[in-house]
Amino acid sequence: MRKKYFALLFLVFLFCVCAMASCQKGEQSSESKSTQTINPYATDTIFDEVYKKVQQNPADADALYHLADLYDRNAQYEEAIETYQKVVKLKPDMGYAYFKMATAYDRLNRPEEAVNVFKTAAKYLPNHPVLFNNMGIAYGKLGKLNEEISSLKKAITLRPSYSAARYNLGITYIKTKNIAAARKEYDALKGFDEGAAEALLKEIEKAS
């Protein structure tokens, strides 16, 4: 009787082990399928996909712009500029390509080239406040403070609550020893960006 009882227990044990192994395989298979669904680019990155498109059709301006933007985001500014140049050859009126190219030049500390390309971008994007803010910064690096002020004022005219442009303009006024004008920018900033206003005030107090 005992032998039959132990034999029955052994069979139950074997059944449980087999059932657990089967469940684990099922879970692994399900997990594998889930991973494949979530990550369709398991082997190729987005960069690879875009790069392949460009290789297949070098005249695809949109793919080139996407590739340039990826270079830009990865701080590969030389490669970004070279690719943006290809874009504007195909689409000479693509203002955003000029804008981003100019910004890449500025990030490489090449302000003269940046200003020249910003000027071209402004022909196609005359109402783009960030463009004029960035162009103002590039002018400042060249020591052209009058042009810097003019560009920053344009940015503020287009977007009166543009904190960065007002702060930058206040700093430029400090450079020109026009503290009264810098204080006006501080007063304006207090109305919508207390953090930027406080930062500008500190600079004004240092210069006063």
Side-chain angles (χ1 to χ4, degrees):
M1 190 72 179
R2 286 183 177 179
K3 288 182 180 179
K4 289 182 178 179
Y5 176 75
F6 285 118
L8 181 62
L9 283 177
F10 182 71
L11 288 172
V12 170
F13 174 75
L14 284 177
F15 175 81
C16 290
V17 170
C18 291
M20 288 174 65
S22 176
C23 287
Q24 287 177 347
K25 285 181 181 178
E27 288 175 0
Q28 288 175 353
S29 176
S30 175
E31 184 178 337
S32 176
K33 288 178 181 177
S34 175
T35 302
Q36 290 174 3
T37 303
I38 293 170
N39 184 14
Y41 298 107
T43 54
D44 293 332
T45 65
I46 293 174
F47 178 88
D48 293 329
E49 289 294 313
V50 176
Y51 189 79
K52 284 177 185 177
K53 283 185 181 180
V54 171
Q55 294 300 305
Q56 290 166 1
N57 183 8
D60 186 340
D62 292 332
L64 278 166
Y65 182 84
H66 192 179
L67 179 62
D69 184 59
L70 291 171
Y71 280 133
D72 206 344
R73 291 168 185 268
N74 198 43
Q76 293 175 262
Y77 300 123
E78 293 283 2
E79 292 85 347
I81 289 167
E82 183 180 342
T83 311
Y84 284 129
Q85 287 172 340
K86 292 177 181 178
V87 173
V88 296
K89 282 183 181 178
L90 293 167
K91 286 190 174 181
D93 61 346
M94 194 171 183
Y96 277 98
Y98 290 109
F99 164 62
K100 299 196 76 172
M101 188 198 310
T103 302
Y105 272 126
D106 187 61
R107 286 172 177 162
L108 288 172
N109 200 28
R110 293 161 65 177
E112 189 168 355
E113 290 158 295
V115 165
N116 289 335
V117 181
F118 274 130
K119 286 179 180 178
T120 303
K123 294 177 183 177
Y124 302 105
L125 301 170
N127 299 313
H128 196 302
V130 180
L131 187 160
F132 288 99
N133 176 72
N134 292 5
M135 183 160 63
I137 292 169
Y139 271 127
K141 291 179 180 179
L142 293 171
K144 297 183 177 182
L145 300 184
N146 290 334
E147 290 86 346
E148 181 178 10
I149 289 170
S150 178
S151 294
L152 293 171
K153 280 184 174 180
K154 176 70 173 177
I156 291 168
T157 299
L158 292 168
R159 187 189 296 170
S161 61
Y162 191 177
S163 299
R166 283 197 179 274
Y167 174 84
N168 290 334
L169 182 57
I171 294 297
T172 308
Y173 280 136
I174 292 171
K175 291 178 189 175
T176 63
K177 311 298 182 184
N178 191 344
I179 303 301
R183 286 189 179 278
K184 286 183 180 179
E185 297 309 318
Y186 161 70
D187 289 336
L189 279 168
K190 283 194 299 183
F192 54 86
D193 192 330
E194 291 183 3
E198 185 177 344
L200 180 57
L201 181 60
K202 287 180 181 178
E203 297 302 319
I204 291 171
E205 289 174 345
K206 286 180 186 177
S208 299

